[in-house]
Amino acid sequence: MDKAALLAAVISQVKELKKDALESSKGFLIPVDDDEVKVEPYVIGAGDGTISVKASVCCEYRSEHLSDLREALDSLHLKMVKAEIATLGNRVKNVFVLTSFKKDSNDANTEAYELLASSVHQVLSSVLDKASPSPEYSPRTTLPSKRRRLSYFDKIDTSSSSL
């Protein structure tokens, strides 16, 4: 087996393992590798005219992340029913259940869900966009991510040392 075939086999095996890991982690709150915002309907079962959505944001952790999320969600004037946070390495996943009262009982539920989901998705996407700087200014491209290796044997200055 040549090197190219071996490399192709290893890559396909890694992809298969990632897919299996993703399938086995369904139902668990585990951050994924990609930045994402998901908003989906959530049924609480209160029956009092509330509309609820479950929103999740997955991205790289940064120190101002939680305050940015709080500020963005507060701007929507929704009631937060549930919040969960999970971290793995430098990745973080935030899941929120948000509710809103229907203003007019004649509105169709699907229209109200779409409006609420669209608003939440837009606000959370803006937080995610703020967290993802452009690649040209990214610390990964401008600063090395590894420490510089120094060898003690490269330069020995014998003129300043006293014996």
Side-chain angles (χ1 to χ4, degrees):
M1 182 180 270
D2 64 336
K3 290 180 182 179
L6 180 62
L7 182 59
V10 168
I11 289 172
S12 67
Q13 181 67 24
V14 168
K15 286 181 181 179
E16 189 66 33
L17 288 172
K18 282 180 97 173
K19 186 174 120 183
D20 290 346
L22 186 62
E23 288 177 11
S24 65
S25 67
K26 296 272 188 207
F28 294 106
L29 188 63
I30 298 175
V32 294
D33 292 338
D34 299 326
D35 291 351
E36 67 179 9
V37 174
K38 289 185 181 179
V39 179
E40 55 193 30
Y42 188 80
V43 179
I44 295 179
D48 57 356
T50 59
I51 301 169
S52 302
V53 293
K54 181 178 180 180
S56 66
V57 179
C58 189
C59 61
E60 190 167 324
Y61 177 77
R62 44 186 193 88
S63 59
E64 62 274 0
H65 178 72
L66 288 176
S67 61
D68 289 347
L69 282 173
R70 169 117 187 176
E71 185 179 310
L73 291 173
D74 284 348
S75 71
L76 293 174
H77 304 290
L78 300 172
K79 181 180 178 186
M80 189 178 304
V81 177
K82 184 178 180 181
E84 295 177 317
I85 299 174
T87 60
L88 181 63
N90 65 339
R91 305 287 298 168
V92 63
K93 184 171 187 174
N94 299 283
V95 179
F96 306 100
V97 176
L98 306 162
T99 63
S100 173
F101 286 98
K102 286 196 315 186
K103 294 180 181 176
D104 185 6
S105 60
N106 295 331
D107 286 343
N109 277 341
T110 56
E111 289 177 13
Y113 273 121
E114 288 175 7
L115 179 63
L116 180 61
S118 172
S119 300
V120 171
H121 193 278
Q122 183 179 10
V123 165
L124 294 178
S125 293
S126 71
V127 171
L128 191 63
D129 291 342
K130 182 180 177 182
S132 303
S134 64
E136 61 196 35
Y137 298 112
S138 175
R140 288 194 176 129
T141 59
T142 58
L143 300 173
S145 61
K146 294 184 179 179
R147 290 190 309 176
R148 185 175 163 213
R149 292 185 182 190
L150 298 174
S151 173
Y152 294 108
F153 301 110
D154 286 346
K155 288 188 178 181
I156 298 177
D157 188 10
T158 57
S159 63
S160 65
S161 64
S162 61
L163 295 175

